[in-house]
Amino acid sequence: MAARQDITSEGKAVANMYPQKILEYLDGFMVSKTMFAACELGVFDVLLAAERPLSAEEISEAVGASLDGTKRLLATCAVLQLLNTHQDNEQVLYSNTEETQVFLTRSSPLSLSLFIQYFSRTIYVYCQYITNAVREGNCQHEKAFGVSSKDLFQALYRDDEEMVNFMELMNSIWKVCGKEVITAFDLSPFKDICDIGGCTGALAKHCTSVYPECSVTIFDLPKVVRIARERFVNEGEERISFLEGDFFKDDLPAADLYIVCRVLHDWTDEHCIELLRGIYKACKPGGGVLVVEMLINEDGSGPLTAHLHSLIMLLQTEGKERSGSHHAALLTAAGFTNIQYRYTGKLYDAVLGHKEK
């Protein structure tokens, strides 16, 4: 009888359970797409320009959208704390929150609107094929966009517009997270720095700002260098220079410190060690390498963003996100010693390895 009572109690407990997390996760993609839609329509920009709270009618007219749809979008954004609401008699008015004003308006110096646009138009499309990627264990360029996966970066930069979009979004995220990874360790002893795959030069600018005695050479593919020179690095920034090349095919320039930012997560362990060995060979005695990536906790417990981005790497590349100790093992295999890693508290973390004198 006691056993039957236990089973009955357990049955009641299960019957009374409510799948709160599961239902929240079920709506997760809708949260993202709501924010994406508000950005793409220019809702936050209209509110910024108005310099006063606006009604749904005013916003719908300004963005060229239906009144009913705009009301629903604004109400959802308010619940997501992306908008403030104000009661004016019986009318609801809307304004940007401080965070929205800083990060979601296109004209803000810290705008993430291009980052969001890339996620909406590219990453969201890839994510429809996560199940395929897990089953097959490889990237999904062909299913998502009809391009061959044979050349990784040819697929990622499937046309010039997509490459520029990617460069723009990375430039924007380093405005928010760049200083923290550059100051995670004291890099002042390193005067001659080479940023491998340095793209727009955003981290190079942080380096020359924080460490005024250093100079930075950005080493990247020719077409990336061409666009970076045209759009992102002013001629007056004399301590930043460019060198065209392929880090798997060409000799790297000698330097005191190499920055490898969001590069290793694109590649297998074998390719990472190959690149790091090339860096070790070119590195001056007493120099080092700074790896910038999202670090997974040592026990695998998180952070969630790093695990989600590891799935994105499966969809787009042959690599993955790794823990600090995993990166340390790669650096050790390449010859580096005295390896340390630090969490910045923001999106990206830092690992520093040294070459003996």
Side-chain angles (χ1 to χ4, degrees), residues 115 119 166 169-170 173-174 176-178 180-182 184 203 261-262 265 291-295 305 309 313 321 342-351:
F115 198 76
F119 264 66
F166 184 80
L169 78 90
M170 289 315 306
I173 199 64
W174 293 128
V176 177
C177 303
E180 283 72 19
V181 296
I182 292 302
L203 281 187
C261 177
R262 283 179 52 88
H265 75 164
V291 174
V292 178
E293 296 284 2
M294 292 182 183
L295 295 185
T305 302
H309 279 250
M313 291 301 99
E321 307 300 343
R342 290 190 181 157
Y343 300 95
T344 67
K346 291 195 174 179
L347 202 54
Y348 298 102
D349 305 302
V351 183

PDB file of all heavy atoms in Angstrom, residues 115 119 166 169-170 173-174 176-178 180-182 184 203 261-262 265 291-295 305 309 313 321 342-351:
ATOM      1  N   PHE A 115      25.286  44.261 -36.586  1.00  0.00           N
ATOM      2  CA  PHE A 115      25.454  42.943 -35.985  1.00  0.00           C
ATOM      3  C   PHE A 115      24.107  42.215 -35.989  1.00  0.00           C
ATOM      4  O   PHE A 115      24.016  41.040 -36.362  1.00  0.00           O
ATOM      5  CB  PHE A 115      25.977  43.116 -34.555  1.00  0.00           C
ATOM      6  CG  PHE A 115      26.598  41.882 -33.954  1.00  0.00           C
ATOM      7  CD1 PHE A 115      27.858  41.479 -34.318  1.00  0.00           C
ATOM      8  CD2 PHE A 115      25.919  41.140 -33.004  1.00  0.00           C
ATOM      9  CE1 PHE A 115      28.440  40.353 -33.756  1.00  0.00           C
ATOM     10  CE2 PHE A 115      26.491  40.012 -32.432  1.00  0.00           C
ATOM     11  CZ  PHE A 115      27.756  39.625 -32.815  1.00  0.00           C
ATOM     12  N   PHE A 119      22.774  38.790 -38.104  1.00  0.00           N
ATOM     13  CA  PHE A 119      22.133  37.643 -37.444  1.00  0.00           C
ATOM     14  C   PHE A 119      20.769  37.369 -38.054  1.00  0.00           C
ATOM     15  O   PHE A 119      20.382  36.207 -38.236  1.00  0.00           O
ATOM     16  CB  PHE A 119      22.016  37.886 -35.932  1.00  0.00           C
ATOM     17  CG  PHE A 119      23.143  37.268 -35.158  1.00  0.00           C
ATOM     18  CD1 PHE A 119      24.449  37.726 -35.298  1.00  0.00           C
ATOM     19  CD2 PHE A 119      22.915  36.216 -34.298  1.00  0.00           C
ATOM     20  CE1 PHE A 119      25.493  37.146 -34.598  1.00  0.00           C
ATOM     21  CE2 PHE A 119      23.956  35.628 -33.582  1.00  0.00           C
ATOM     22  CZ  PHE A 119      25.248  36.083 -33.741  1.00  0.00           C
ATOM     23  N   PHE A 166      29.861  41.576 -42.992  1.00  0.00           N
ATOM     24  CA  PHE A 166      30.543  40.865 -41.910  1.00  0.00           C
ATOM     25  C   PHE A 166      31.598  41.760 -41.259  1.00  0.00           C
ATOM     26  O   PHE A 166      31.722  41.806 -40.036  1.00  0.00           O
ATOM     27  CB  PHE A 166      31.187  39.587 -42.446  1.00  0.00           C
ATOM     28  CG  PHE A 166      31.832  38.753 -41.375  1.00  0.00           C
ATOM     29  CD1 PHE A 166      31.072  37.919 -40.563  1.00  0.00           C
ATOM     30  CD2 PHE A 166      33.198  38.810 -41.166  1.00  0.00           C
ATOM     31  CE1 PHE A 166      31.670  37.160 -39.569  1.00  0.00           C
ATOM     32  CE2 PHE A 166      33.802  38.049 -40.178  1.00  0.00           C
ATOM     33  CZ  PHE A 166      33.037  37.231 -39.377  1.00  0.00           C
ATOM     34  N   LEU A 169      29.908  44.392 -39.054  1.00  0.00           N
ATOM     35  CA  LEU A 169      29.388  43.898 -37.771  1.00  0.00           C
ATOM     36  C   LEU A 169      30.520  43.629 -36.786  1.00  0.00           C
ATOM     37  O   LEU A 169      30.389  43.889 -35.591  1.00  0.00           O
ATOM     38  CB  LEU A 169      28.524  42.658 -37.974  1.00  0.00           C
ATOM     39  CG  LEU A 169      29.172  41.291 -38.210  1.00  0.00           C
ATOM     40  CD1 LEU A 169      29.421  40.571 -36.879  1.00  0.00           C
ATOM     41  CD2 LEU A 169      28.284  40.416 -39.074  1.00  0.00           C
ATOM     42  N   MET A 170      31.650  43.087 -37.292  1.00  0.00           N
ATOM     43  CA  MET A 170      32.770  42.846 -36.384  1.00  0.00           C
ATOM     44  C   MET A 170      33.358  44.160 -35.891  1.00  0.00           C
ATOM     45  O   MET A 170      33.778  44.278 -34.732  1.00  0.00           O
ATOM     46  CB  MET A 170      33.844  42.004 -37.078  1.00  0.00           C
ATOM     47  CG  MET A 170      33.456  40.556 -37.299  1.00  0.00           C
ATOM     48  SD  MET A 170      32.691  39.767 -35.846  1.00  0.00           S
ATOM     49  CE  MET A 170      33.896  40.067 -34.566  1.00  0.00           C
ATOM     50  N   ILE A 173      31.074  45.258 -32.983  1.00  0.00           N
ATOM     51  CA  ILE A 173      31.152  44.514 -31.730  1.00  0.00           C
ATOM     52  C   ILE A 173      32.438  44.828 -30.977  1.00  0.00           C
ATOM     53  O   ILE A 173      32.460  44.848 -29.741  1.00  0.00           O
ATOM     54  CB  ILE A 173      31.001  42.989 -31.947  1.00  0.00           C
ATOM     55  CG1 ILE A 173      30.623  42.287 -30.634  1.00  0.00           C
ATOM     56  CG2 ILE A 173      32.265  42.370 -32.511  1.00  0.00           C
ATOM     57  CD1 ILE A 173      29.301  42.674 -30.065  1.00  0.00           C
ATOM     58  N   TRP A 174      33.530  45.128 -31.699  1.00  0.00           N
ATOM     59  CA  TRP A 174      34.779  45.452 -30.996  1.00  0.00           C
ATOM     60  C   TRP A 174      34.730  46.832 -30.357  1.00  0.00           C
ATOM     61  O   TRP A 174      35.477  47.112 -29.419  1.00  0.00           O
ATOM     62  CB  TRP A 174      35.975  45.328 -31.931  1.00  0.00           C
ATOM     63  CG  TRP A 174      36.215  43.901 -32.334  1.00  0.00           C
ATOM     64  CD1 TRP A 174      36.352  43.398 -33.592  1.00  0.00           C
ATOM     65  CD2 TRP A 174      36.307  42.757 -31.459  1.00  0.00           C
ATOM     66  NE1 TRP A 174      36.514  42.036 -33.564  1.00  0.00           N
ATOM     67  CE2 TRP A 174      36.485  41.620 -32.279  1.00  0.00           C
ATOM     68  CE3 TRP A 174      36.239  42.591 -30.082  1.00  0.00           C
ATOM     69  CZ2 TRP A 174      36.609  40.332 -31.742  1.00  0.00           C
ATOM     70  CZ3 TRP A 174      36.350  41.318 -29.553  1.00  0.00           C
ATOM     71  CH2 TRP A 174      36.539  40.210 -30.379  1.00  0.00           C
ATOM     72  N   VAL A 176      32.308  47.658 -28.606  1.00  0.00           N
ATOM     73  CA  VAL A 176      31.665  47.346 -27.328  1.00  0.00           C
ATOM     74  C   VAL A 176      32.543  46.461 -26.449  1.00  0.00           C
ATOM     75  O   VAL A 176      32.585  46.634 -25.222  1.00  0.00           O
ATOM     76  CB  VAL A 176      30.301  46.657 -27.582  1.00  0.00           C
ATOM     77  CG1 VAL A 176      29.645  46.252 -26.270  1.00  0.00           C
ATOM     78  CG2 VAL A 176      29.383  47.565 -28.384  1.00  0.00           C
ATOM     79  N   CYS A 177      33.255  45.507 -27.055  1.00  0.00           N
ATOM     80  CA  CYS A 177      33.996  44.492 -26.287  1.00  0.00           C
ATOM     81  C   CYS A 177      35.519  44.571 -26.441  1.00  0.00           C
ATOM     82  O   CYS A 177      36.236  43.847 -25.757  1.00  0.00           O
ATOM     83  CB  CYS A 177      33.568  43.086 -26.723  1.00  0.00           C
ATOM     84  SG  CYS A 177      31.818  42.749 -26.558  1.00  0.00           S
ATOM     85  N   GLY A 178      36.006  45.390 -27.352  1.00  0.00           N
ATOM     86  CA  GLY A 178      37.423  45.346 -27.715  1.00  0.00           C
ATOM     87  C   GLY A 178      38.394  45.742 -26.621  1.00  0.00           C
ATOM     88  O   GLY A 178      39.412  45.083 -26.414  1.00  0.00           O
ATOM     89  N   GLU A 180      38.235  45.520 -23.451  1.00  0.00           N
ATOM     90  CA  GLU A 180      38.356  44.541 -22.363  1.00  0.00           C
ATOM     91  C   GLU A 180      39.324  43.414 -22.719  1.00  0.00           C
ATOM     92  O   GLU A 180      40.078  42.946 -21.859  1.00  0.00           O
ATOM     93  CB  GLU A 180      36.981  43.960 -22.020  1.00  0.00           C
ATOM     94  CG  GLU A 180      36.104  44.889 -21.194  1.00  0.00           C
ATOM     95  CD  GLU A 180      35.582  46.078 -21.971  1.00  0.00           C
ATOM     96  OE1 GLU A 180      35.585  46.028 -23.226  1.00  0.00           O
ATOM     97  OE2 GLU A 180      35.163  47.068 -21.337  1.00  0.00           O
ATOM     98  N   VAL A 181      39.323  42.953 -23.966  1.00  0.00           N
ATOM     99  CA  VAL A 181      40.240  41.863 -24.318  1.00  0.00           C
ATOM    100  C   VAL A 181      41.670  42.371 -24.466  1.00  0.00           C
ATOM    101  O   VAL A 181      42.628  41.642 -24.194  1.00  0.00           O
ATOM    102  CB  VAL A 181      39.788  41.121 -25.601  1.00  0.00           C
ATOM    103  CG1 VAL A 181      38.453  40.450 -25.381  1.00  0.00           C
ATOM    104  CG2 VAL A 181      39.743  42.034 -26.812  1.00  0.00           C
ATOM    105  N   ILE A 182      41.817  43.631 -24.865  1.00  0.00           N
ATOM    106  CA  ILE A 182      43.155  44.215 -25.014  1.00  0.00           C
ATOM    107  C   ILE A 182      43.774  44.534 -23.659  1.00  0.00           C
ATOM    108  O   ILE A 182      44.999  44.556 -23.511  1.00  0.00           O
ATOM    109  CB  ILE A 182      43.080  45.476 -25.905  1.00  0.00           C
ATOM    110  CG1 ILE A 182      42.736  45.082 -27.336  1.00  0.00           C
ATOM    111  CG2 ILE A 182      44.381  46.257 -25.876  1.00  0.00           C
ATOM    112  CD1 ILE A 182      43.705  44.102 -27.974  1.00  0.00           C
ATOM    113  N   ALA A 184      42.905  42.766 -20.815  1.00  0.00           N
ATOM    114  CA  ALA A 184      42.824  41.594 -19.933  1.00  0.00           C
ATOM    115  C   ALA A 184      44.191  41.252 -19.363  1.00  0.00           C
ATOM    116  O   ALA A 184      44.306  40.746 -18.245  1.00  0.00           O
ATOM    117  CB  ALA A 184      42.248  40.403 -20.695  1.00  0.00           C
ATOM    118  N   LEU A 203      40.528  46.207 -33.319  1.00  0.00           N
ATOM    119  CA  LEU A 203      41.378  45.881 -32.168  1.00  0.00           C
ATOM    120  C   LEU A 203      42.717  46.600 -32.243  1.00  0.00           C
ATOM    121  O   LEU A 203      43.286  46.982 -31.220  1.00  0.00           O
ATOM    122  CB  LEU A 203      41.598  44.366 -32.076  1.00  0.00           C
ATOM    123  CG  LEU A 203      40.468  43.546 -31.470  1.00  0.00           C
ATOM    124  CD1 LEU A 203      40.905  42.097 -31.296  1.00  0.00           C
ATOM    125  CD2 LEU A 203      40.010  44.105 -30.137  1.00  0.00           C
ATOM    126  N   CYS A 261      42.410  36.799 -33.167  1.00  0.00           N
ATOM    127  CA  CYS A 261      41.097  37.130 -32.646  1.00  0.00           C
ATOM    128  C   CYS A 261      39.999  36.505 -33.502  1.00  0.00           C
ATOM    129  O   CYS A 261      39.914  36.787 -34.698  1.00  0.00           O
ATOM    130  CB  CYS A 261      40.946  38.650 -32.610  1.00  0.00           C
ATOM    131  SG  CYS A 261      39.335  39.178 -32.065  1.00  0.00           S
ATOM    132  N   ARG A 262      39.187  35.668 -32.888  1.00  0.00           N
ATOM    133  CA  ARG A 262      38.082  35.003 -33.581  1.00  0.00           C
ATOM    134  C   ARG A 262      38.572  34.302 -34.853  1.00  0.00           C
ATOM    135  O   ARG A 262      37.927  34.353 -35.900  1.00  0.00           O
ATOM    136  CB  ARG A 262      36.970  36.010 -33.911  1.00  0.00           C
ATOM    137  CG  ARG A 262      36.111  36.359 -32.716  1.00  0.00           C
ATOM    138  CD  ARG A 262      35.046  37.373 -33.069  1.00  0.00           C
ATOM    139  NE  ARG A 262      34.267  36.951 -34.234  1.00  0.00           N
ATOM    140  CZ  ARG A 262      33.181  36.187 -34.172  1.00  0.00           C
ATOM    141  NH1 ARG A 262      32.757  35.735 -33.011  1.00  0.00           N
ATOM    142  NH2 ARG A 262      32.517  35.867 -35.260  1.00  0.00           N
ATOM    143  N   HIS A 265      38.512  29.643 -33.660  1.00  0.00           N
ATOM    144  CA  HIS A 265      37.202  28.961 -33.596  1.00  0.00           C
ATOM    145  C   HIS A 265      36.676  28.562 -34.979  1.00  0.00           C
ATOM    146  O   HIS A 265      35.681  27.845 -35.081  1.00  0.00           O
ATOM    147  CB  HIS A 265      36.186  29.804 -32.834  1.00  0.00           C
ATOM    148  CG  HIS A 265      35.639  30.993 -33.578  1.00  0.00           C
ATOM    149  ND1 HIS A 265      34.506  31.655 -33.166  1.00  0.00           N
ATOM    150  CD2 HIS A 265      36.062  31.629 -34.702  1.00  0.00           C
ATOM    151  CE1 HIS A 265      34.244  32.634 -34.001  1.00  0.00           C
ATOM    152  NE2 HIS A 265      35.177  32.649 -34.939  1.00  0.00           N
ATOM    153  N   VAL A 291      45.240  35.162 -27.790  1.00  0.00           N
ATOM    154  CA  VAL A 291      44.092  34.534 -28.449  1.00  0.00           C
ATOM    155  C   VAL A 291      42.825  35.138 -27.857  1.00  0.00           C
ATOM    156  O   VAL A 291      42.656  35.177 -26.634  1.00  0.00           O
ATOM    157  CB  VAL A 291      44.109  33.006 -28.247  1.00  0.00           C
ATOM    158  CG1 VAL A 291      42.832  32.376 -28.796  1.00  0.00           C
ATOM    159  CG2 VAL A 291      45.337  32.394 -28.908  1.00  0.00           C
ATOM    160  N   VAL A 292      41.938  35.611 -28.726  1.00  0.00           N
ATOM    161  CA  VAL A 292      40.677  36.207 -28.293  1.00  0.00           C
ATOM    162  C   VAL A 292      39.523  35.359 -28.829  1.00  0.00           C
ATOM    163  O   VAL A 292      39.336  35.240 -30.036  1.00  0.00           O
ATOM    164  CB  VAL A 292      40.546  37.660 -28.798  1.00  0.00           C
ATOM    165  CG1 VAL A 292      39.196  38.241 -28.385  1.00  0.00           C
ATOM    166  CG2 VAL A 292      41.688  38.514 -28.271  1.00  0.00           C
ATOM    167  N   GLU A 293      38.776  34.753 -27.915  1.00  0.00           N
ATOM    168  CA  GLU A 293      37.648  33.903 -28.274  1.00  0.00           C
ATOM    169  C   GLU A 293      36.632  33.894 -27.129  1.00  0.00           C
ATOM    170  O   GLU A 293      36.933  34.358 -26.022  1.00  0.00           O
ATOM    171  CB  GLU A 293      38.103  32.452 -28.522  1.00  0.00           C
ATOM    172  CG  GLU A 293      39.050  32.249 -29.686  1.00  0.00           C
ATOM    173  CD  GLU A 293      38.380  32.315 -31.062  1.00  0.00           C
ATOM    174  OE1 GLU A 293      37.147  32.562 -31.105  1.00  0.00           O
ATOM    175  OE2 GLU A 293      39.074  32.145 -32.067  1.00  0.00           O
ATOM    176  N   MET A 294      35.451  33.355 -27.379  1.00  0.00           N
ATOM    177  CA  MET A 294      34.524  33.026 -26.298  1.00  0.00           C
ATOM    178  C   MET A 294      35.037  31.775 -25.607  1.00  0.00           C
ATOM    179  O   MET A 294      35.306  30.779 -26.282  1.00  0.00           O
ATOM    180  CB  MET A 294      33.130  32.724 -26.855  1.00  0.00           C
ATOM    181  CG  MET A 294      32.418  33.886 -27.450  1.00  0.00           C
ATOM    182  SD  MET A 294      30.767  33.375 -28.011  1.00  0.00           S
ATOM    183  CE  MET A 294      30.220  34.906 -28.745  1.00  0.00           C
ATOM    184  N   LEU A 295      35.196  31.818 -24.303  1.00  0.00           N
ATOM    185  CA  LEU A 295      35.687  30.652 -23.575  1.00  0.00           C
ATOM    186  C   LEU A 295      34.544  29.895 -22.919  1.00  0.00           C
ATOM    187  O   LEU A 295      33.740  30.480 -22.179  1.00  0.00           O
ATOM    188  CB  LEU A 295      36.707  31.061 -22.514  1.00  0.00           C
ATOM    189  CG  LEU A 295      38.023  31.657 -23.017  1.00  0.00           C
ATOM    190  CD1 LEU A 295      38.964  31.899 -21.835  1.00  0.00           C
ATOM    191  CD2 LEU A 295      38.685  30.772 -24.063  1.00  0.00           C
ATOM    192  N   THR A 305      25.888  31.515 -24.297  1.00  0.00           N
ATOM    193  CA  THR A 305      26.244  32.159 -25.566  1.00  0.00           C
ATOM    194  C   THR A 305      27.379  31.426 -26.266  1.00  0.00           C
ATOM    195  O   THR A 305      27.356  31.239 -27.487  1.00  0.00           O
ATOM    196  CB  THR A 305      26.639  33.630 -25.327  1.00  0.00           C
ATOM    197  OG1 THR A 305      25.543  34.304 -24.707  1.00  0.00           O
ATOM    198  CG2 THR A 305      26.972  34.330 -26.632  1.00  0.00           C
ATOM    199  N   HIS A 309      27.146  29.695 -29.890  1.00  0.00           N
ATOM    200  CA  HIS A 309      28.063  30.072 -30.967  1.00  0.00           C
ATOM    201  C   HIS A 309      28.881  28.880 -31.451  1.00  0.00           C
ATOM    202  O   HIS A 309      29.313  28.850 -32.611  1.00  0.00           O
ATOM    203  CB  HIS A 309      28.967  31.225 -30.527  1.00  0.00           C
ATOM    204  CG  HIS A 309      28.311  32.557 -30.641  1.00  0.00           C
ATOM    205  ND1 HIS A 309      28.682  33.503 -31.573  1.00  0.00           N
ATOM    206  CD2 HIS A 309      27.279  33.113 -29.952  1.00  0.00           C
ATOM    207  CE1 HIS A 309      27.920  34.569 -31.456  1.00  0.00           C
ATOM    208  NE2 HIS A 309      27.063  34.354 -30.477  1.00  0.00           N
ATOM    209  N   MET A 313      29.350  27.757 -35.256  1.00  0.00           N
ATOM    210  CA  MET A 313      30.599  27.339 -35.897  1.00  0.00           C
ATOM    211  C   MET A 313      30.415  26.024 -36.659  1.00  0.00           C
ATOM    212  O   MET A 313      30.986  25.826 -37.723  1.00  0.00           O
ATOM    213  CB  MET A 313      31.707  27.177 -34.849  1.00  0.00           C
ATOM    214  CG  MET A 313      32.185  28.478 -34.220  1.00  0.00           C
ATOM    215  SD  MET A 313      32.850  29.649 -35.440  1.00  0.00           S
ATOM    216  CE  MET A 313      31.437  30.733 -35.664  1.00  0.00           C
ATOM    217  N   GLU A 321      33.836  26.566 -30.471  1.00  0.00           N
ATOM    218  CA  GLU A 321      34.294  27.322 -29.305  1.00  0.00           C
ATOM    219  C   GLU A 321      34.940  26.342 -28.333  1.00  0.00           C
ATOM    220  O   GLU A 321      34.530  25.180 -28.254  1.00  0.00           O
ATOM    221  CB  GLU A 321      33.131  28.053 -28.640  1.00  0.00           C
ATOM    222  CG  GLU A 321      32.305  28.942 -29.568  1.00  0.00           C
ATOM    223  CD  GLU A 321      33.089  30.060 -30.235  1.00  0.00           C
ATOM    224  OE1 GLU A 321      34.196  30.393 -29.768  1.00  0.00           O
ATOM    225  OE2 GLU A 321      32.578  30.610 -31.241  1.00  0.00           O
ATOM    226  N   ARG A 342      41.926  34.532 -19.192  1.00  0.00           N
ATOM    227  CA  ARG A 342      41.119  35.392 -18.340  1.00  0.00           C
ATOM    228  C   ARG A 342      39.769  35.657 -18.967  1.00  0.00           C
ATOM    229  O   ARG A 342      39.656  35.894 -20.172  1.00  0.00           O
ATOM    230  CB  ARG A 342      41.843  36.722 -18.083  1.00  0.00           C
ATOM    231  CG  ARG A 342      43.054  36.530 -17.194  1.00  0.00           C
ATOM    232  CD  ARG A 342      43.655  37.805 -16.707  1.00  0.00           C
ATOM    233  NE  ARG A 342      44.820  37.513 -15.873  1.00  0.00           N
ATOM    234  CZ  ARG A 342      45.800  38.367 -15.648  1.00  0.00           C
ATOM    235  NH1 ARG A 342      45.760  39.558 -16.195  1.00  0.00           N
ATOM    236  NH2 ARG A 342      46.806  38.026 -14.869  1.00  0.00           N
ATOM    237  N   TYR A 343      38.740  35.632 -18.104  1.00  0.00           N
ATOM    238  CA  TYR A 343      37.383  35.960 -18.531  1.00  0.00           C
ATOM    239  C   TYR A 343      37.175  37.463 -18.340  1.00  0.00           C
ATOM    240  O   TYR A 343      37.501  38.015 -17.297  1.00  0.00           O
ATOM    241  CB  TYR A 343      36.360  35.180 -17.701  1.00  0.00           C
ATOM    242  CG  TYR A 343      36.514  33.681 -17.812  1.00  0.00           C
ATOM    243  CD1 TYR A 343      37.260  32.967 -16.858  1.00  0.00           C
ATOM    244  CD2 TYR A 343      35.931  32.977 -18.859  1.00  0.00           C
ATOM    245  CE1 TYR A 343      37.401  31.585 -16.968  1.00  0.00           C
ATOM    246  CE2 TYR A 343      36.070  31.601 -18.970  1.00  0.00           C
ATOM    247  CZ  TYR A 343      36.807  30.915 -18.022  1.00  0.00           C
ATOM    248  OH  TYR A 343      36.954  29.555 -18.128  1.00  0.00           O
ATOM    249  N   THR A 344      36.634  38.124 -19.348  1.00  0.00           N
ATOM    250  CA  THR A 344      36.468  39.575 -19.278  1.00  0.00           C
ATOM    251  C   THR A 344      35.114  39.985 -18.702  1.00  0.00           C
ATOM    252  O   THR A 344      34.928  41.140 -18.330  1.00  0.00           O
ATOM    253  CB  THR A 344      36.592  40.200 -20.680  1.00  0.00           C
ATOM    254  OG1 THR A 344      35.474  39.779 -21.484  1.00  0.00           O
ATOM    255  CG2 THR A 344      37.889  39.798 -21.353  1.00  0.00           C
ATOM    256  N   GLY A 345      34.157  39.055 -18.658  1.00  0.00           N
ATOM    257  CA  GLY A 345      32.811  39.408 -18.232  1.00  0.00           C
ATOM    258  C   GLY A 345      31.954  39.910 -19.376  1.00  0.00           C
ATOM    259  O   GLY A 345      30.769  40.201 -19.199  1.00  0.00           O
ATOM    260  N   LYS A 346      32.534  40.015 -20.549  1.00  0.00           N
ATOM    261  CA  LYS A 346      31.788  40.414 -21.742  1.00  0.00           C
ATOM    262  C   LYS A 346      31.785  39.248 -22.726  1.00  0.00           C
ATOM    263  O   LYS A 346      32.028  38.105 -22.358  1.00  0.00           O
ATOM    264  CB  LYS A 346      32.371  41.686 -22.345  1.00  0.00           C
ATOM    265  CG  LYS A 346      32.138  42.911 -21.454  1.00  0.00           C
ATOM    266  CD  LYS A 346      32.376  44.211 -22.191  1.00  0.00           C
ATOM    267  CE  LYS A 346      31.990  45.405 -21.329  1.00  0.00           C
ATOM    268  NZ  LYS A 346      32.227  46.689 -22.020  1.00  0.00           N
ATOM    269  N   LEU A 347      31.506  39.535 -23.978  1.00  0.00           N
ATOM    270  CA  LEU A 347      31.269  38.468 -24.947  1.00  0.00           C
ATOM    271  C   LEU A 347      32.518  37.634 -25.224  1.00  0.00           C
ATOM    272  O   LEU A 347      32.443  36.420 -25.402  1.00  0.00           O
ATOM    273  CB  LEU A 347      30.750  39.081 -26.252  1.00  0.00           C
ATOM    274  CG  LEU A 347      29.965  38.183 -27.192  1.00  0.00           C
ATOM    275  CD1 LEU A 347      28.800  37.508 -26.493  1.00  0.00           C
ATOM    276  CD2 LEU A 347      29.459  38.995 -28.392  1.00  0.00           C
ATOM    277  N   TYR A 348      33.689  38.281 -25.226  1.00  0.00           N
ATOM    278  CA  TYR A 348      34.923  37.590 -25.605  1.00  0.00           C
ATOM    279  C   TYR A 348      35.947  37.625 -24.478  1.00  0.00           C
ATOM    280  O   TYR A 348      36.004  38.574 -23.695  1.00  0.00           O
ATOM    281  CB  TYR A 348      35.509  38.217 -26.877  1.00  0.00           C
ATOM    282  CG  TYR A 348      34.576  38.076 -28.053  1.00  0.00           C
ATOM    283  CD1 TYR A 348      33.791  39.155 -28.471  1.00  0.00           C
ATOM    284  CD2 TYR A 348      34.429  36.858 -28.703  1.00  0.00           C
ATOM    285  CE1 TYR A 348      32.908  39.019 -29.520  1.00  0.00           C
ATOM    286  CE2 TYR A 348      33.544  36.711 -29.765  1.00  0.00           C
ATOM    287  CZ  TYR A 348      32.789  37.789 -30.154  1.00  0.00           C
ATOM    288  OH  TYR A 348      31.911  37.651 -31.190  1.00  0.00           O
ATOM    289  N   ASP A 349      36.764  36.596 -24.421  1.00  0.00           N
ATOM    290  CA  ASP A 349      37.771  36.433 -23.376  1.00  0.00           C
ATOM    291  C   ASP A 349      39.168  36.370 -24.003  1.00  0.00           C
ATOM    292  O   ASP A 349      39.308  36.459 -25.223  1.00  0.00           O
ATOM    293  CB  ASP A 349      37.461  35.168 -22.585  1.00  0.00           C
ATOM    294  CG  ASP A 349      36.045  35.170 -22.034  1.00  0.00           C
ATOM    295  OD1 ASP A 349      35.704  36.108 -21.284  1.00  0.00           O
ATOM    296  OD2 ASP A 349      35.262  34.261 -22.388  1.00  0.00           O
ATOM    297  N   ALA A 350      40.185  36.217 -23.169  1.00  0.00           N
ATOM    298  CA  ALA A 350      41.557  36.310 -23.665  1.00  0.00           C
ATOM    299  C   ALA A 350      42.449  35.208 -23.094  1.00  0.00           C
ATOM    300  O   ALA A 350      42.321  34.837 -21.929  1.00  0.00           O
ATOM    301  CB  ALA A 350      42.147  37.679 -23.300  1.00  0.00           C
ATOM    302  N   VAL A 351      43.344  34.703 -23.950  1.00  0.00           N
ATOM    303  CA  VAL A 351      44.347  33.702 -23.568  1.00  0.00           C
ATOM    304  C   VAL A 351      45.698  34.221 -24.027  1.00  0.00           C
ATOM    305  O   VAL A 351      45.852  34.646 -25.176  1.00  0.00           O
ATOM    306  CB  VAL A 351      44.061  32.339 -24.241  1.00  0.00           C
ATOM    307  CG1 VAL A 351      45.071  31.288 -23.763  1.00  0.00           C
ATOM    308  CG2 VAL A 351      42.636  31.879 -23.971  1.00  0.00           C
TER     309      VAL A 351
END
